DNA sequence: CATGAATGAGGCTTCATTCAT
DNA sequence: GATGAATGAAGCCTCATTCAT
């Protein structure tokens, strides 16, 4: 029978995660110290450790959130009607990504999580999970493309999904690190390469 | 053993970098300790510090090599004759990437470097540099695509380059973390989306 | 044990300074390791570093105290009534110095501080400050000497102050290093050279 | 049967001592590393270690030289004719000290040596030795003072010597650290306090 | 004789975590 | 529940010294 309300606990937890997120986005998982998180959250060491057993648990929670965020990003697009072109889908996603990449935005954690997943099996597990879910969404989309006649009847839709999904990390990195790639530009490139719905197909083989 | 040859020095430096590379690929920049590198290289602390002023300098050297490696990967492809389709280019690159992703392969460092670049300006500098060079190569390729009639005459080739290059990080991550994406599968997906050179274009707009 | 009293904190700080003082008096600033201080204080590394940011900060605090100690030594003497002779003043100061030169006495740090001040500007700053204050006191004394008729009316009292103050480092060093110079002996020498208040002046020029 | 001439060895040794002296004067014994000395001397590690068994041996050699230098400073003054007043002696010595306190001057080592002597018995040994020799010189001087009638017949000449010698460290420190005490000023102060040879004694006792 | 690469103990400091209050 | 002082292992790096060449 908890003395404090469930929501109080939840609020505290979120307060810690928010602070940690700011720190991690600023300095990365490794360089951020727990003391940084104490300071940013305004809580004491003991308080933070009441809600999270370890720094790794905070990282894991945030890594999970970051992946979940990416995953949820592409939820509804699949079912839009009429079927958006790949350029349109990509543009929409890229815009959402840009929205979340302010200095404290969740997206800034994505590259940290990927790097961690390469060397840490525990992290790899739910990155894989997130990728699989996302691929599922893209597969549905690829199937609608095929139904639309945008792909051959025998097209390998999982492969198409994998290819389309591959565009996103590249956009995120170019956006976060290089900083000069806009959603519009990406969409323009994709549209040139995959001109679905364009009045004239320019790329007929000779 | 003083007065050693220039190449001895170079060999030592490489010995250290190789050892560090193994450690970093295994545990990441942050978790790898200098002791790990001493042990892996078989050298003493003092010896390593004769060649590199700090752990950061080793990381920087390796990060640089990793980006340079990625960059050099796509050197000649641009000039192949006849012009390879995007699917072919991507397949070739993906194969090279796979070749280099064994436990000690340089590619395993790429995600670490990206993560670092997001929070460390110094690293960001040469990641940017590498991206710009790579984009240059892809732009040449995009221009050849246009010349070939695969892109509209007014196609935004820098945008096309940015879009195509975006595919690679996604492949690397899916390959390293999820492990189930092969070069062939990626190529299949790309070919379905960009069927240049196919006898019949299936995806005519209605 | 959080939320401790202000005085607890102060006590801890003093505990550390006391331990450091013992170590420094025994082995000098350079040879004393932080481990020595941890052991002597009975505190852990982390505890010590909670109160002092670095070894240098401990040295600085102690160096400051040592100089402040010397300075405060000669506070009241100046205003004694009737005016003590230089020999009396010097004897009194030397006695106090002897009192503080037991193995844990602050005076043992003075030579360390002087040595440091020669090569470290930061230390030099407050040694200078201490010297200036002390000279001020001696100048007041010199002025009373003049008023007493012990100095010519046009005597350069700052110069007299500098000369008198010069006797102290020499006494400290001879006491600490050679060990055979007592306050009485110094006073005897000074009295022979400056026989103020003696019934007969023996040193008339021919 | 040495392959190289005796004087070559001596020259090398001096070359090393000179370099070490520069380093020590600049940064102090503790902060100066052997690598600093290698660099300053232009010799290799092996070369330096051929002439000195350890860093401590270099310090000892230089500490000895520094004390010997101080000692030799006051050699001939004692026998000057006619007998110089204390103010004159002190002025002359102070001038010599100033001459040697340029950035690489031997005098800058004196405070280092004193500090070392307080904590290191080996150093203390020859500082004591130097002090004793110097006191011997000052005693001769004090005896001449007495013969001159400047001191009472029963004056404790060793005590007078100790008192006079005490003035020097104070001058050295004020000169090196505070920087505003000139030989002239010191002499003025001493003359006011010990007006030997002045036409009129102002400080007659009542 | 000289070189300078190599050693490795040990120095200073940080930081995730605990627990008495 | 909350606090924050305390812990101590471990990290990075320096440096006096050696010795193969």
């Amino acid at each position: 029978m908890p003395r404090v309300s469930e929501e109080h606990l939840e609020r505290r937890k979120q307060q810690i995660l928010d602070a940690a997120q700011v720190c991690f986005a600023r300095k990365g998982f490794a360089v951020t110290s727990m003391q940084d998180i104490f300071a940013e959250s305004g809580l004491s060491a003991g308080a933070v450790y009441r809600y999270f057993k370890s720094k790794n648990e905070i990282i894991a929670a945030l890594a999970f959130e970051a992946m979940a965020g990416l995953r949820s990003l592409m939820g509804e697009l699949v079912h839009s009607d009429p079927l958006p072109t790949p350029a349109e889908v990509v543009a929409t996603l890229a815009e959402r990504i840009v929205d979340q990449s302010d200095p404290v935005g969740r997206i800034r954690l994505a590259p940290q999580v990927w790097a961690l997943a390469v060397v840490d099996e525990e992290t790899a597990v739910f990155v894989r999970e997130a990728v699989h879910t996302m691929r599922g969404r893209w597969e549905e989309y690829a199937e609608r493309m095929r139904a639309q006649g945008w792909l051959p009847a025998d097209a390998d839709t999982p492969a198409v999904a994998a290819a389309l999904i591959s565009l996103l990390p590249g956009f995120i990195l170019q956006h976060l690190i290089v900083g000069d790639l806009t959603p519009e530009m990406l969409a323009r490139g994709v549209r040139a390469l995959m001109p679905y719905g364009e009045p004239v197909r320019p790329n007929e083989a000779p």
Side-chain angles (χ1 to χ4, degrees), chain A:
Chain A
M1 179 105 333
R3 228 69 69 65
V4 297
S5 66
E6 193 67 26
E7 74 192 299
H8 171 81
L9 292 177
E10 212 42 59
R11 220 175 7 241
R12 271 274 193 271
K13 243 178 139 147
Q14 200 53 50
Q15 177 182 2
I16 293 164
L17 288 178
D18 288 347
Q21 143 80 38
V22 170
C23 295
F24 290 149
R26 193 152 50 206
K27 316 209 287 185
F29 293 149
V31 176
T32 296
S33 71
M34 288 301 286
Q35 333 280 329
D36 289 336
I37 297 176
F38 304 153
E40 182 73 35
S41 67
L43 293 173
S44 67
V48 170
Y49 272 87
R50 171 163 296 281
Y51 297 96
F52 293 94
K53 275 213 301 288
S54 69
K55 181 180 177 182
N56 272 343
E57 203 173 289
I58 297 180
I59 291 176
L62 240 21
F64 184 83
E65 278 195 14
M67 285 301 105
L70 270 186
R71 194 173 50 190
S72 79
L73 266 188
M74 54 189 60
E76 62 275 30
L77 285 176
V78 172
H79 305 105
S80 303
D81 209 39
L83 187 63
T85 65
E88 285 163 353
V89 176
V90 162
T92 307
L93 286 174
E95 266 153 27
R96 301 240 187 123
I97 284 166
V98 169
D99 288 347
Q100 298 192 17
S101 32
D102 56 295
V104 303
R106 291 279 196 266
I107 286 292
R108 295 188 87 83
L109 295 195
Q112 310 277 341
V113 175
W114 299 334
L116 193 54
V118 172
V119 296
D120 176 72
E121 180 54 24
E122 230 171 302
T123 307
V125 165
F126 61 71
V127 170
R128 256 176 233 132
E129 216 270 313
V131 171
H132 283 138
T133 313
M134 290 164 88
R135 277 193 194 151
R137 304 252 203 278
W138 282 100
E139 250 181 85
E140 293 177 47
Y141 174 73
E143 273 151 21
R144 290 188 68 198
M145 283 182 77
R146 183 170 55 191
Q148 178 90 2
W150 287 352
L151 295 177
D154 62 349
D156 181 344
T157 50
V160 169
L164 286 172
I165 212 175
S166 286
L167 287 166
L168 294 183
F171 173 75
I172 290 172
L173 291 172
Q174 288 182 74
H175 175 64
L176 288 180
I177 301 173
V178 188
D180 60 356
L181 185 53
T182 61
E184 296 71 35
M185 184 173 170
L186 178 67
R188 215 152 49 235
V190 171
R191 198 177 311 113
L193 288 160
M194 314 173 203
Y196 304 107
E198 302 290 325
V200 180
R201 295 291 328 221
N203 52 342
E204 303 301 35

